[in-house]
Amino acid sequence: TLDKHPSDKSARKLPGVKEVVPRIATNPQQFAEVIGEVAPGFTTNKSGVGDVSLQKGHMDRSTVVRTHPVTQNEPCVLFGTFEIPSGRKTWLLVDVAHHPDGNWRFEVKGNGKKLLSEDIGGPASRGWQSFRIDLSKFAGESVKLQLENHATGWKNEYGYWGGARVVSE
């Protein structure tokens, strides 16, 4: 149930391979374990309303993590550092959704540079949204990825995370 051979130190658990036990993490020391259920290698230092919550499902998707911006001006930031191999195409794959009565802005940064900014939810919502972000420009480097759950109007701005992982071909 790892994404690589167990002897590989960079091997991470695949999300969704065991029964989900819903829980809310209020202690930052627990955040990595909860977030790792859907986004191996990512954690956060803090989250807003409801802390970090592992849920059995949301919008017909099983095993999701819920976060919330810390304040109106401070996002909840999931972060992790990943080695990007040389000579291979590498992508960040992320699935996100919104609260039925809310929306939020999803931003992705690589080593501090904005790679994506997208509104999630709202009247034209498509439910779950999947993103494929090219990380090949970081080939041969270590990249710190930040996945940010930003406030947009301060109403039900829960970010739902169905998965986040780095893949290479």
Side-chain angles (χ1 to χ4, degrees):
T1 59
L2 298 175
D3 63 352
K4 297 177 184 160
H5 192 274
S7 64
D8 187 330
K9 298 269 188 223
S10 68
R12 300 179 194 277
K13 288 182 188 177
L14 291 171
V17 294
K18 64 180 183 176
E19 183 179 345
V20 177
V21 178
R23 61 191 181 276
I24 296 173
T26 58
N27 181 338
Q29 293 177 347
Q30 301 168 331
F31 291 167
E33 180 184 342
V34 171
I35 292 167
E37 293 284 342
V38 299
F42 286 93
T43 190
T44 189
N45 292 327
K46 53 187 166 178
S47 182
V49 178
D51 291 299
V52 175
S53 171
L54 180 65
Q55 302 185 347
K56 279 197 176 221
H58 178 72
M59 290 185 173
D60 298 323
R61 173 82 55 103
S62 62
T63 313
V64 301
V65 167
R66 185 187 72 194
T67 61
H68 192 278
V70 178
T71 69
Q72 289 182 352
N73 299 312
E74 182 182 358
C76 175
V77 179
L78 307 187
F79 60 89
T81 301
F82 299 85
E83 298 300 321
I84 308 302
S86 295
R88 297 171 68 187
K89 288 295 278 181
T90 302
W91 292 275
L92 170 65
L93 306 179
V94 184
D95 296 321
V96 296
H98 59 93
H99 184 280
D101 296 321
N103 66 334
W104 56 288
R105 190 173 68 254
F106 173 46
E107 290 190 1
V108 176
K109 293 178 182 167
N111 288 343
K113 296 183 183 198
K114 192 180 295 185
L115 305 176
L116 177 84
S117 182
E118 188 84 21
D119 288 335
I120 308 299
S125 172
R126 299 183 305 264
W128 283 96
Q129 291 180 253
S130 297
F131 296 93
R132 182 180 174 115
I133 300 146
D134 189 356
L135 299 177
S136 299
K137 65 180 162 188
F138 299 106
E141 299 177 24
S142 179
V143 62
K144 181 177 181 181
L145 295 174
Q146 293 173 232
L147 313 179
E148 300 179 353
N149 172 197
H150 286 265
T152 54
W154 208 240
K155 181 183 178 216
N156 294 317
E157 294 168 312
Y158 295 101
Y160 289 86
W161 307 87
R165 60 194 173 109
V166 174
V167 297
S168 296
E169 292 180 351

